[in-house]
Amino acid sequence: MQSILDPSTRWIEAVKEAQYRNATTPRPRLSREATASPPPNLRTTSEARQQWRRISLIADRARGDDPLDEASSSSSSSSSRSNSSIKSNASSKKKSRKALKSDRAAERHRKRVMKAKMMDLQYFLEMVDLKHRYGSNLRVYHSVWHQAPTRENFFYWLDYGEGKDLDLQICSRKRLDRERVRYLSREERMDYLVRVDKEGRLCWRRNGVRIDTTEEWKDSLKGIVPKGDVTPAFGAAEMTEKKEGTAASSEDELHEESGLQSDAAPEDEGVKRYSEGLESKKGHKKVIHVSPAAILDRLLRKSVRKNTWIFVADTSMNLYVGIKQSGSFQHSSFLRGARIAAAGLIKIRDGQLRSLSPLSGHYKPTTSSFRAFMSHLRAQGVDMSRVSISKSYAVLIGLESYAKARSKIKHVEGRVVGGGEKIFRPEEVRRREEAGRDKRRSVGLEREREGVEEEEREKEKEKEKEDGWVGRLRRLVL
């Protein structure tokens, strides 16, 4: 079963992509101001409109509900509803089941959309960048741009402006330009789409072949293919594969190769880099300085091994599976950085699901979204008799519980401190309360005195007026 788009849909997608690229292409601010002939107020309005249009296009792409899936689901639901409405004229009993089923499915989809997970903000640079350079690398250069005295757009400054020759030690320019994440188009995405067969096994939708996450398969421009297939690989991924097995002569190469080491390696270079501060501490200080973010980073780094397979479920619970390649193919690749319902790591043997893990650095999904994804797999009849959940799931539950507990403690901290003072220092609290009452009493007395004085002044003014009128009358009479 080959999943391809029809010609009209291809044209629509091509036009949308061209519009998006034209709107988000970095341009110099000075040239825009020089070529603008209208008055300053009209020029500002035009620039504001362009800016808002650019923002709306980026937000729409981040929202990213696949129109194809929506159309198919809506068409199927509409057809089922139309059929059920026709049947309802003949028999209302036959209609009720289909109507309830479609309504429940629509309600579940609405809830998934409400709880959908957006990509972490630090990776939005990767999505907006037309070259889709790795988000972590872009963030390093973005911090420099943020402090620079420039009015240029970040990407124009980086590629054409004052920052085009900038080369940082923590992330070299060569590494920045080399590590580009592949973002799949709608048609390319269909090569990674998964379906469930009658036996509950996971298969590729395009050809019905059962998925097997072993080293006998590789990624290519046409999706996952056998190791001996001649289909070429994606350019960035091919560059990464060529560097496997070579001796790394710089820190950048060590970092790149760290994600492609064999499973026998206990830690990769990324883990060492993220845990340098942790390893240098001892005893109690070492425990104190471990933050939830450091624990999560350590889990993510340890998960990057050779032949690591990842999955993403969109808001319609369509499942996509591929092979992770550090700096080249990530969770953001499947939906072009759009929001997701679930993401993580996966292992499959002959179509049978064997292992799941809710780890994703780009999206950082919650444990509740992972549980919802598991429930959906069961509802779809997936064979889960031999599936095992990674220990990272328990760690994430602990981190979420810790975060909730800290927020509650901060919320009631002031009240707890006040109650403690009343218990342990009652005399001091009593003195403060009495001083406050005395202050309020003195303020009240002062206001009362001012009121009495004001009344006396008013009476004197009235008396002066009366004396004046009386004197005038006397002079007139006499």
Side-chain angles (χ1 to χ4, degrees):
M1 177 180 173
Q2 188 71 17
S3 300
I4 56 176
L5 302 180
D6 56 88
S8 60
T9 305
R10 287 180 179 175
W11 273 107
I12 293 173
E13 286 298 308
V15 171
K16 286 183 178 180
E17 184 67 20
Q19 291 176 345
Y20 178 81
R21 287 184 170 273
N22 180 62
T24 56
T25 297
R27 296 180 178 87
R29 186 183 298 271
L30 296 177
S31 67
R32 291 200 304 267
E33 294 178 353
T35 56
S37 56
N41 56 345
L42 296 179
R43 187 187 313 164
T44 305
T45 303
S46 177
E47 289 183 357
R49 287 177 180 175
Q50 292 178 2
Q51 195 74 0
W52 277 110
R53 181 172 179 271
R54 189 179 300 112
I55 293 172
S56 64
L57 287 172
I58 295 172
D60 186 64
R61 176 157 293 198
R63 184 183 68 88
D65 294 326
D66 196 339
L68 179 66
D69 301 327
E70 290 179 356
S72 61
S73 61
S74 62
S75 62
S76 62
S77 62
S78 62
S79 61
S80 63
R81 287 187 179 182
S82 62
N83 293 334
S84 62
S85 63
I86 295 173
K87 292 180 180 180
S88 64
N89 296 328
S91 174
S92 59
K93 293 183 180 179
K94 293 182 180 179
K95 174 244 179 182
S96 58
R97 289 186 178 180
K98 289 186 177 180
L100 287 174
K101 187 176 181 180
S102 60
D103 291 341
R104 288 172 182 172
E107 181 65 19
R108 287 195 297 268
H109 181 266
R110 186 186 67 82
K111 290 181 179 180
R112 285 196 299 267
V113 170
M114 293 296 293
K115 297 180 179 180
K117 185 68 176 176
M118 297 286 288
M119 190 163 59
D120 201 54
L121 285 176
Q122 63 181 349
Y123 290 102
F124 258 76
L125 290 172
E126 175 186 300
M127 184 188 72
V128 179
D129 184 17
L130 295 180
K131 300 178 182 179
H132 301 306
R133 287 165 286 197
Y134 194 37
S136 297
N137 300 339
L138 283 173
R139 194 168 70 251
V140 176
Y141 284 82
H142 185 269
S143 62
V144 178
W145 167 83
H146 187 70
Q147 298 176 0
T150 180
R151 297 178 65 247
E152 295 295 343
N153 174 277
F154 166 65
F155 293 106
Y156 183 86
W157 172 86
L158 181 64
D159 294 329
Y160 309 103
E162 299 173 0
K164 64 180 180 179
D165 297 324
L166 183 63
D167 195 346
L168 301 178
Q169 184 177 3
I170 189 173
C171 176
S172 66
R173 191 73 181 210
K174 181 180 179 182
R175 174 181 162 191
L176 174 68
D177 294 332
R178 181 179 67 241
E179 295 184 350
R180 300 185 184 184
V181 180
R182 181 187 181 189
Y183 273 36
L184 302 175
S185 65
R186 284 184 62 187
E187 187 165 9
E188 292 173 334
R189 190 186 312 160
M190 304 301 288
D191 293 329
Y192 298 85
L193 186 59
V194 177
R195 68 177 180 87
V196 184
D197 64 11
K198 296 180 179 179
E199 298 180 8
R201 304 295 179 96
L202 302 178
C203 308
W204 298 116
R205 183 177 175 180
R206 68 179 188 272
N207 53 21
V209 176
R210 287 183 175 178
I211 304 174
D212 195 51
T213 58
T214 61
E215 296 185 7
E216 300 299 322
W217 302 84
K218 69 173 184 178
D219 196 8
S220 71
L221 293 175
K222 295 296 182 180
I224 306 300
V225 295
K227 201 75 171 180
D229 196 286
V230 296
T231 306
F234 178 66
E238 190 175 6
M239 288 175 62
T240 307
E241 289 177 359
K242 287 180 179 179
K243 290 186 177 293
E244 284 189 42
T246 60
S249 59
S250 66
E251 183 180 355
D252 300 329
E253 292 175 353
L254 283 173
H255 173 72
E256 181 188 16
E257 295 296 327
S258 65
L260 300 171
Q261 291 177 357
S262 63
D263 294 338
E267 290 184 337
D268 60 14
E269 191 67 24
V271 175
K272 294 179 181 178
R273 181 168 64 86
Y274 271 73
S275 58
E276 285 176 354
L278 176 63
E279 299 298 334
S280 62
K281 294 177 174 58
K282 298 180 181 180
H284 187 58
K285 290 184 178 180
K286 183 173 181 178
V287 177
I288 291 175
H289 285 81
V290 177
S291 65
I295 295 174
L296 183 59
D297 287 334
R298 191 176 181 87
L299 287 174
L300 291 169
R301 291 292 174 178
K302 291 188 73 173
S303 67
V304 180
R305 307 286 186 180
K306 186 179 179 180
N307 196 49
T308 298
W309 289 63
I310 57 178
F311 76 89
V312 157
D314 61 17
T315 54
S316 299
M317 279 298 178
N318 295 313
L319 179 61
Y320 302 91
V321 173
I323 303 175
K324 178 180 176 66
Q325 295 177 5
S326 183
S328 176
F329 198 93
Q330 311 278 354
H331 286 101
S332 57
S333 299
F334 295 105
L335 304 178
R336 297 186 294 187
R339 58 184 177 178
I340 53 96
L345 310 180
I346 191 170
K347 289 183 180 180
I348 306 171
R349 294 292 183 271
D350 191 27
Q352 187 179 48
L353 188 60
R354 295 294 183 88
S355 176
L356 283 174
S357 173
L359 287 179
S360 172
H362 278 71
Y363 288 101
K364 294 182 173 59
T366 60
T367 54
S368 59
S369 64
F370 182 70
R371 289 192 295 270
F373 173 67
M374 294 279 292
S375 300
H376 177 77
L377 291 180
R378 294 189 184 94
Q380 293 297 312
V382 176
D383 183 8
M384 305 185 69
S385 58
R386 300 185 63 181
V387 65
S388 62
I389 307 302
S390 172
K391 295 179 181 179
S392 58
Y393 174 67
V395 176
L396 290 181
I397 291 178
L399 293 178
E400 290 181 0
S401 302
Y402 172 75
K404 291 179 181 178
R406 285 202 63 181
S407 63
K408 289 181 179 179
I409 290 172
K410 288 182 179 180
H411 180 68
V412 301
E413 188 176 14
R415 299 170 61 184
V416 172
V417 171
E421 286 186 349
K422 288 183 179 180
I423 295 174
F424 297 106
R425 292 190 293 272
E427 295 296 332
E428 184 178 347
V429 174
R430 190 179 299 111
R431 283 196 299 271
R432 285 203 303 266
E433 291 177 352
E434 290 177 356
R437 284 195 295 268
D438 294 340
K439 185 177 181 179
R440 288 192 296 271
R441 190 181 299 111
S442 62
V443 170
L445 292 173
E446 182 68 20
R447 289 179 179 176
E448 185 178 353
R449 185 179 61 80
E450 291 176 356
V452 172
E453 292 177 354
E454 184 68 23
E455 289 179 0
E456 291 178 354
R457 285 194 294 269
E458 291 292 334
K459 289 180 180 179
E460 289 178 358
K461 289 181 180 179
E462 291 178 358
K463 188 177 180 180
E464 289 176 358
K465 289 181 180 179
E466 291 178 357
D467 293 342
W469 281 105
V470 171
R472 291 176 185 176
L473 289 173
R474 285 177 180 177
R475 285 195 295 272
L476 289 173
V477 172
L478 296 175

